[in-house]
Amino acid sequence: MEASKKLVAIFLVCIVMISSSVHVSMAEGESNTEKFKKAFTAVAAEYTVCYNICQKLCSDAGFGYTHCEMKCDEDCTARLLKDRLQNMKN
């Protein structure tokens, strides 16, 4: 019985130490959620600009909305992915 009490006590101490170290490490810098929001906002802004320009050029060329929407979505997504991959290589 005494050994099981010691084992539980050690387990609880380990849990407290791990949780406090995680809490301290997250308090030091920016959280992953904040980093994701900033990255998403930047990419969404770039995509919106690309899509709006492409949509305008495509509709001015006389194509229908559905054709332009699909074309511009594919083109802008590919362009942004290509740019991101190039930045990662450099």
Side-chain angles (χ1 to χ4, degrees):
M1 188 70 169
E2 189 67 30
S4 64
K5 288 182 183 178
K6 287 181 183 179
L7 183 63
V8 169
I10 291 174
F11 178 73
L12 291 175
V13 169
C14 290
I15 294 296
V16 169
M17 290 179 62
I18 291 171
S19 66
S20 65
S21 68
V22 168
H23 180 68
V24 169
S25 69
M26 290 187 71
E28 289 177 3
E30 202 172 29
S31 72
N32 287 340
T33 304
E34 292 169 353
K35 289 178 185 177
F36 177 78
K37 284 182 182 177
K38 285 182 181 179
F40 179 78
T41 303
V43 170
E46 288 179 46
Y47 177 83
T48 302
V49 169
C50 176
Y51 182 82
N52 289 338
I53 292 171
C54 179
Q55 183 76 14
K56 174 81 170 122
L57 293 174
C58 184
S59 62
D60 287 348
F63 294 105
Y65 176 78
T66 304
H67 172 79
C68 292
E69 181 182 17
M70 292 175 62
K71 177 189 176 305
C72 293
D73 182 45
E74 290 174 6
D75 291 351
C76 291
T77 302
R79 184 177 302 140
L80 289 174
L81 286 174
K82 182 180 175 186
D83 291 345
R84 294 287 184 251
L85 289 174
Q86 288 297 330
N87 289 340
M88 289 174 65
K89 286 182 182 179
N90 298 333

